Amino acid sequence: MKMIQSMKRRISGSGPTTPAEKPAASAGRGAAPPTKPAAVVAPPVAPAKTKVKEGNAWESLPTLKDTPAHERQEVFKKKLEMCCIVYDFNNAESHQEEKEFKRLTLLELVDYATSQRNVFPEAVMPDVVNMVSINIFRALPPSNPPAGPTFDPEEDEPTLEPAWQHLQVVYEFFLRFIVSSEVDAKIAKKQIDSAFILKLLELFHSEDPRERDFLKTVLHRIYGKFMAMRSFIRKSIQNVFFKFIYEHENHSGVAELLEILGSIINGFALPLKDEHRSFLERALVPLHKAKLFSNFHQQLSYCMTQYVEKDPRLAESVILGLLKYWPVTNSPKEVLFLHEIEELLELTQLAEFQRIQVPLFKQVARCINSPHFQVAERALFLWNNDYIVNLIAQHKQALFPVVIGALYKNSKHHWNSTVHGLTYNVLKLMMEMDSQLFDQCSAMHRAEEEKQKQMAEERTKKWCALETAAAH
């Protein structure tokens, strides 16, 4: 009876022990708590914990302006480390908050590098170059081959980099690092070495013109600051051109590289080294044979004129190189070649002109007779240049016989009225230059035409005789 009453009091004094309460009771007696229920609860909570942790990582660091001076370098390095996280911009919906945090942090780094002093001590340089390398060195998206049938460089839009909002700020930060007077080239070359330069040149394949423009500025600044790297940079650019010329014409950054070279050539000391002459003859002149020559004609023409301006004796090799690669079936390219020839002739001295005058004006005569009116027009425009007219006047004995035949042929047979008018103007100019020589050359041309006519008639008679003999 007492036992039954005792059991009733125990039941009424405490509720039923649930499975959830058993671990607590066991724990109270010093037993090890079971791990199975904790393992079941943890997975759904983990993503939230990770997200909070990453967000706090961006937000937990104080701004560099609010950081005490003795702690700034450490905070600066931590921010550089955080900016090494690369996000996927092909998925616009993912990590939107983190992407914005990184963009703001990069902008803060740019502002800090611009407004503060002692930003780039030697201890920080590896972190800076590492952050830049992780962000900019990447696999570029495949591009349409420029020579493909569906690609039109004037009409088709280039492939823009989706992560540009981050890359742009990274390039701006790196540019401030390069131009900073605090960065000693002898120390920084440990990080910015030949491997770094080669990776930088690979990025010129990018189709995004905004990126290529930044790369152009960065590489030019590196060339100016790191004097020990100059020869390597020139040879590396030369190798890029060799691949473009002899392997595949699929490179988006030739114009930017030529723009850098134009500035480099302008700084060459005289007399020019054999290395610089070799670069001109083996890399720059053969670029004229590229199918997409019009994409970088302006920059290449500037490099050519810079060389000839530095050393007028190079005019002979440059102009003969252009004649070697003269286009046959590409009329717009012929117009560009004639434009470049005019610029080069303005820098050519008499001695060099004497050696190239006959082959050059034979090609000009062929252009005068071109059925494409723009080619003929551009060739005749050479006589509007006073310096070229002066060169022709001093070598009229050799040049009059070369061009008069082409001019007479144009005056009789060319279909375009503008070309007709320009042809008569050139004939009048040459007549005024030396009427006696002009009459002699005209008579020689008429005699040559008569001779050619007789030969054609004789050839026709012989063919008729052969046909008659074969019929019988």
Side-chain angles (χ1 to χ4, degrees):
M1 194 68 178
K2 290 181 178 179
M3 186 182 296
I4 293 171
Q5 291 176 352
S6 176
M7 289 294 293
K8 286 182 177 180
R9 285 196 300 271
R10 187 174 296 176
I11 292 169
S12 62
S14 63
T17 305
T18 63
E21 290 175 332
K22 285 182 181 178
S26 310
R29 291 193 295 271
T35 58
K36 188 173 181 180
V40 172
V41 176
V45 179
K49 287 184 178 179
T50 304
K51 185 175 181 180
V52 172
K53 184 177 179 181
E54 189 174 352
N56 287 339
W58 288 104
E59 294 179 325
S60 61
L61 292 175
T63 61
L64 289 165
K65 288 184 178 180
D66 298 336
T67 304
H70 65 281
E71 297 179 5
R72 280 180 187 168
Q73 182 173 324
E74 190 62 30
V75 175
F76 182 54
K77 294 178 72 172
K78 288 181 179 178
K79 287 181 178 285
L80 288 171
E81 183 181 354
M82 288 298 298
C83 289
C84 290
I85 302 173
V86 179
Y87 296 102
D88 182 13
F89 277 83
N90 291 316
N91 185 358
E93 301 299 325
S94 67
H95 300 94
Q96 292 183 357
E97 185 178 354
E98 290 82 356
K99 290 174 183 176
E100 181 62 17
F101 272 125
K102 179 178 177 179
R103 189 184 70 84
L104 295 174
T105 303
L106 287 169
L107 288 171
E108 183 188 5
L109 295 178
V110 172
D111 181 66
Y112 179 66
T114 306
S115 60
Q116 300 296 322
R117 295 182 179 180
N118 301 321
V119 177
F120 301 115
E122 184 177 354
V124 172
M125 290 183 188
D127 300 273
V128 171
V129 178
N130 181 57
M131 186 276 286
V132 172
S133 300
I134 289 174
N135 278 276
I136 68 173
F137 296 147
R138 65 205 187 279
L140 296 173
S143 59
N144 296 321
T150 61
F151 185 86
D152 186 346
E154 296 182 356
E155 298 293 336
D156 293 351
E157 291 294 329
T159 303
L160 299 180
E161 175 56 50
W164 182 244
Q165 58 175 297
H166 284 179
L167 284 177
Q168 179 182 7
V169 192
V170 172
Y171 277 120
E172 289 178 355
F173 175 72
F174 186 50
L175 189 58
R176 281 161 175 76
F177 170 77
I178 294 296
V179 301
S180 174
S181 58
E182 302 170 10
V183 178
D184 188 351
K186 295 179 180 178
I187 299 173
K189 70 179 182 180
K190 297 175 184 177
Q191 281 73 42
I192 303 178
D193 53 6
S194 57
F196 185 93
I197 297 298
L198 290 176
K199 291 179 182 177
L200 203 65
L201 285 172
E202 285 295 321
L203 291 176
F204 278 89
H205 279 282
S206 172
E207 287 193 12
D208 195 327
R210 302 169 299 179
E211 181 169 17
R212 296 200 307 271
D213 193 54
F214 264 106
L215 287 166
K216 175 187 67 178
T217 306
V218 167
L219 185 60
H220 191 197
R221 295 295 186 181
I222 290 175
Y223 184 90
K225 187 159 192 168
F226 295 81
M227 298 186 67
M229 300 290 293
R230 289 184 176 183
S231 178
F232 178 79
I233 292 174
R234 290 195 302 270
K235 289 179 180 177
S236 300
I237 294 175
Q238 186 177 19
N239 289 334
V240 172
F241 290 161
F242 285 160
K243 289 182 180 179
F244 177 77
I245 296 166
Y246 300 111
E247 293 183 10
H248 53 82
E249 294 186 9
N250 185 10
H251 198 291
S252 303
V254 174
E256 285 77 12
L257 291 173
L258 286 170
E259 198 167 337
I260 297 171
L261 278 174
S263 179
I264 292 173
I265 294 166
N266 192 33
F268 282 166
L270 294 175
L272 291 176
K273 298 179 181 178
D274 292 339
E275 172 198 348
H276 303 330
R277 295 172 181 268
S278 175
F279 189 94
L280 168 68
E281 295 170 359
R282 297 177 60 199
L284 295 183
V285 173
L287 279 173
H288 288 83
K289 74 175 186 176
K291 293 179 182 178
L292 296 176
F293 170 73
S294 59
N295 290 357
F296 51 83
H297 163 257
Q298 184 177 356
Q299 292 83 359
L300 181 58
S301 178
Y302 179 76
C303 290
M304 296 290 103
T305 54
Q306 284 293 304
Y307 262 108
V308 177
E309 194 171 356
K310 284 281 180 182
D311 188 354
R313 293 173 298 177
L314 293 173
E316 180 184 0
S317 60
V318 171
I319 292 177
L320 291 178
L322 263 67
L323 295 178
K324 178 182 177 181
Y325 298 111
W326 200 276
V328 178
T329 59
N330 191 338
S331 298
K333 192 174 179 180
E334 275 194 281
V335 174
L336 296 177
F337 268 53
L338 287 165
H339 179 78
E340 188 170 347
I341 285 290
E342 181 175 0
E343 291 183 343
L344 292 170
L345 285 177
E346 288 178 345
L347 302 170
T348 303
Q349 305 298 322
L350 284 174
E352 286 72 35
F353 184 76
Q354 287 176 351
R355 291 192 287 269
I356 62 169
Q357 57 181 346
V358 174
L360 173 60
F361 275 85
K362 282 183 178 179
Q363 183 60 60
V364 171
R366 285 191 286 270
C367 292
I368 289 173
N369 290 146
S370 172
H372 195 289
F373 78 97
Q374 289 181 334
V375 176
E377 192 176 64
R378 190 64 187 83
L380 291 165
F381 278 156
L382 293 176
W383 275 264
N384 290 344
N385 189 302
D386 293 336
Y387 184 78
I388 296 176
V389 170
N390 185 43
L391 288 175
I392 295 172
Q394 295 184 57
H395 301 87
K396 55 191 176 184
Q397 296 289 342
L399 296 181
F400 272 34
V402 175
V403 297
I404 278 184
L407 292 169
Y408 271 122
K409 184 177 178 181
N410 253 19
S411 65
K412 295 178 181 178
H413 304 296
H414 206 283
W415 62 272
N416 186 270
S417 59
T418 305
V419 173
H420 268 280
L422 291 171
T423 301
Y424 284 120
N425 290 339
V426 173
L427 286 169
K428 181 181 177 183
L429 180 64
M430 295 177 70
M431 188 184 300
E432 294 172 352
M433 197 178 291
D434 191 332
S435 59
Q436 185 177 356
L437 179 61
F438 182 85
D439 292 340
Q440 291 175 3
C441 293
S442 300
M444 290 172 56
H445 169 68
R446 286 191 293 269
E448 182 67 24
E449 271 194 335
E450 189 65 29
K451 182 180 177 181
Q452 293 293 334
K453 185 178 179 181
Q454 290 177 1
M455 289 175 63
E457 290 176 353
E458 290 177 5
R459 187 163 50 246
T460 303
K461 289 178 181 179
K462 288 179 181 180
W463 277 111
C464 290
L466 286 171
E467 289 173 358
T468 303
H472 294 290

